[in-house]
Amino acid sequence: MTLTYLGNSPYCAANSLSILFGDEGPGPAVLEIAGGSPFGLAIHGDDIIYFSSPAWRPEFGIDNAMELAGWECDRIHGSPTDAVAVLRQATWDKPVLAGPVEMGLLPYVPGLGQAVGADHNIVVIGVEGDTVRAHDVIGWPFVTVGVDALLKTWEGNTFAYEADAYAVRFNFRRVREVDRETVLRAAMHTAVDLLSAPGIPEAAERAAQLVEGDLKSMQYKYLVEFQVQAGARRLADAAMLYRRLGSHGPAEILERQALLVGSLQLDLMTQEYARAAATFRALGPTYAELRQAFVEAIDDQPGPAT
């Protein structure tokens, strides 16, 4: 039996897609793995540490998760007028996905009030006059926000990567029936591709140097308030899912990575920076090991029946 972590997690896109897919979706953990977010380590922007591949972006994650799970949707971006027009068509039966939006600028999120570079998505279920009503999976069902206020969060210019302004997805439809096992096996190929990106070992060493030095406020804040939590949860879920699938080689390495990333939280909070740096250096070689384990797992998969 594999112990499964349950509880809060920053699965913004995966939880939002799960709302949109309903009972026909494979669930947030499978979608998170299908999106490729757990596989790698990168440094972006102003030396911000991310527990994802240098080749990974949130939009890629949504696209890939939908493709592997057998779903399609329509998407537009660039025009606030067109985006709001789509929002006004949203209903409880036909919700739409708005994002990325800047979480720090959402007026209902307590304690922020400024851009923090946190990309986010919300599931819009209707517009009442000039008020948007949405499910925000971080913790606010049926939350409301003014149209003008939402537009200010939606410009796509506060993140460490390029993002389309006023991007909205709608008309979600299932085009193929795909079981969870098939999604997870297909995601192995995504993992191999993302773990093949150059710069992952160097990112681990750079992360170690950053925590040994003088972490800036935002670098530290992003680590202890989001990235460690997200990184450990993604790896824990991936380890659990692949162990249940019988892919024990990748599962063992993912579990080891989850333990290492999870241990960073206390060390960073108690300023045990030498120990945190050692953890990043221990993570460095595990990504190549994980890639090889996935390659071997793919080779071991049974071929199509003849």
Side-chain angles (χ1 to χ4, degrees), residues 1-183:
M1 183 178 70
T2 301
L3 188 67
T4 301
Y5 173 86
L6 296 173
N8 293 336
S9 67
Y11 275 11
C12 163
N15 280 329
S16 295
L17 288 177
S18 292
I19 291 175
L20 293 157
F21 296 169
D23 293 339
E24 294 182 326
V30 174
L31 288 171
E32 193 73 25
I33 276 64
S37 61
F39 307 120
L41 179 67
I43 309 292
H44 290 300
D46 187 19
D47 277 340
I48 303 295
I49 299 167
Y50 287 75
F51 290 103
S52 295
S53 169
W56 185 85
R57 296 293 185 274
E59 283 295 310
F60 167 85
I62 293 175
D63 289 341
N64 208 65
M66 290 185 60
E67 167 65 21
L68 297 190
W71 285 76
E72 291 180 354
C73 70
D74 298 325
R75 181 181 184 274
I76 62 169
H77 68 274
S79 166
T81 301
D82 291 346
V84 172
V86 172
L87 297 188
R88 291 191 181 279
Q89 298 173 18
T91 66
W92 289 25
D93 294 329
K94 294 184 178 180
V96 304
L97 186 66
V101 299
E102 168 58 65
M103 182 187 293
L105 295 178
L106 288 168
Y108 58 79
V109 178
L112 294 180
Q114 61 180 337
V116 294
D119 57 277
H120 191 43
N121 295 276
I122 61 173
V123 178
V124 176
I125 56 177
V127 179
E128 304 155 10
D130 289 324
T131 300
V132 176
R133 189 174 295 277
H135 285 334
D136 186 322
V137 298
I138 296 299
W140 297 284
F142 297 108
V143 74
T144 57
V145 59
V147 169
D148 289 343
L150 180 60
L151 288 174
K152 291 177 182 177
T153 75
W154 209 353
E155 297 175 353
N157 57 4
T158 62
F159 311 127
Y161 60 92
E162 291 187 6
D164 293 328
Y166 313 114
V168 59
R169 296 172 183 265
F170 56 102
N171 190 21
F172 287 83
R173 63 244 179 217
R174 193 181 191 187
V175 294
R176 302 187 316 279
E177 289 192 15
V178 186
D179 60 41
R180 288 163 55 98
E181 179 176 319
T182 300
V183 175

Side-chain angles (χ1 to χ4, degrees), residues 202-224:
E202 292 81 3
E205 175 57 31
R206 178 58 181 156
Q209 294 171 0
L210 286 169
V211 298
E212 284 175 328
D214 185 17
L215 280 174
K216 297 177 183 177
S217 174
M218 188 55 67
Q219 293 168 337
Y220 178 82
K221 183 180 179 70
Y222 206 51
L223 264 178
V224 301

